[in-house]
Amino acid sequence: MVQAYILIQTEVGKASAVAETISTLHGVLQAEDVTGPYDVIVRAQAGTVDELGRMVVAKVQQVEGITRTLTCPVVHL
């Protein structure tokens, strides 16, 4: 399994709705509202890096209210 943190910026006032919607997506382990430069942080997993990329582009980025995402794959050094 490949895991990643997805850092999300949203439109003003949309963070809670975005986190709630994303938390229902297959592969999402956790989605929480946060303060700082990002509004929502998601922990997600998929079978491969390609599947993870497809999930971000086809599902996460399509959620209404998202303006930008940054995907940070987890590495085990």
Side-chain angles (χ1 to χ4, degrees):
M1 283 289 181
V2 176
Q3 293 191 354
Y5 289 97
I6 306 167
L7 311 177
I8 299 172
Q9 292 177 336
T10 69
E11 296 172 5
V12 174
K14 300 281 185 160
S16 292
V18 167
E20 185 176 328
T21 301
I22 288 177
S23 68
T24 67
L25 298 177
H26 178 72
V28 171
L29 303 175
Q30 192 171 15
E32 296 186 296
D33 310 20
V34 296
T35 60
Y38 294 94
D39 303 305
V40 177
I41 296 181
V42 174
R43 180 144 184 163
Q45 71 178 13
T48 66
V49 173
D50 288 341
E51 287 176 16
L52 181 66
R54 283 192 293 273
M55 179 182 69
V56 171
V57 172
K59 295 181 182 176
V60 173
Q61 291 182 347
Q62 300 307 312
V63 172
E64 184 178 339
I66 292 178
T67 58
R68 183 175 300 213
T69 65
L70 175 66
T71 303
C72 304
V74 173
V75 296
H76 302 283
L77 302 174

